Amino acid sequence: MSGKIRTAALAVAVSLTIVPAGATTAFAAAKPNLRACYDGNCKISITRKVSFRIDPGFGITKLTLSFNAGGVHVKSSGPGVSGSAYFSGSGSVTVNGITVQALSLSSRKAVLRLTTS
């Protein structure tokens, strides 16, 4: 193994942090499982704007969700299409058969449920 590769491998190994399986960290709690939303059905907690892939069967391939204390902005996009919607409070909006509903909303965090119709 060359010296550069060995040094790079060592640097990567040193930068890894091992966390016990049962331990929760602030980082782990703040990072939603966006892959679970691919089929249009999930519940996520977000603390910032997020974008994720959606099954192309919905006619779109990506959803972007952002929020503030007043409401939620939903942006959809795909090959040759885009759209956006906003709803306030604990309301909901349906985009291409995917309903986005706010379960709780503050200036720091939004808990959202996505369901298909």
Side-chain angles (χ1 to χ4, degrees):
M1 186 184 300
S2 75
K4 283 186 178 183
I5 293 173
R6 190 179 359 226
T7 302
L10 181 59
V12 169
V14 170
S15 68
L16 296 176
T17 303
I18 297 173
V19 178
T24 58
T25 63
F27 177 76
K31 186 170 180 166
N33 179 9
L34 299 174
R35 289 184 183 188
C37 296
Y38 183 78
D39 68 354
N41 292 288
C42 65
K43 179 180 171 186
I44 56 173
S45 296
I46 59 173
T47 57
R48 61 180 172 79
K49 179 179 175 178
V50 296
S51 293
F52 52 92
R53 293 179 43 82
I54 289 290
D55 184 334
F58 291 105
I60 56 175
T61 56
K62 184 169 95 171
L63 275 182
T64 301
L65 306 172
S66 59
F67 69 96
N68 58 35
V72 177
H73 183 246
V74 180
K75 181 180 175 190
S76 61
S77 59
V81 298
S82 67
S84 68
Y86 179 86
F87 64 90
S88 59
S90 60
S92 66
V93 67
T94 301
V95 178
N96 286 56
I98 300 171
T99 300
V100 180
Q101 176 187 15
L103 300 178
S104 70
L105 188 61
S106 72
S107 62
R108 298 173 64 141
K109 179 177 163 184
V111 178
L112 307 173
R113 175 176 289 137
L114 279 67
T115 56
T116 55
S117 38

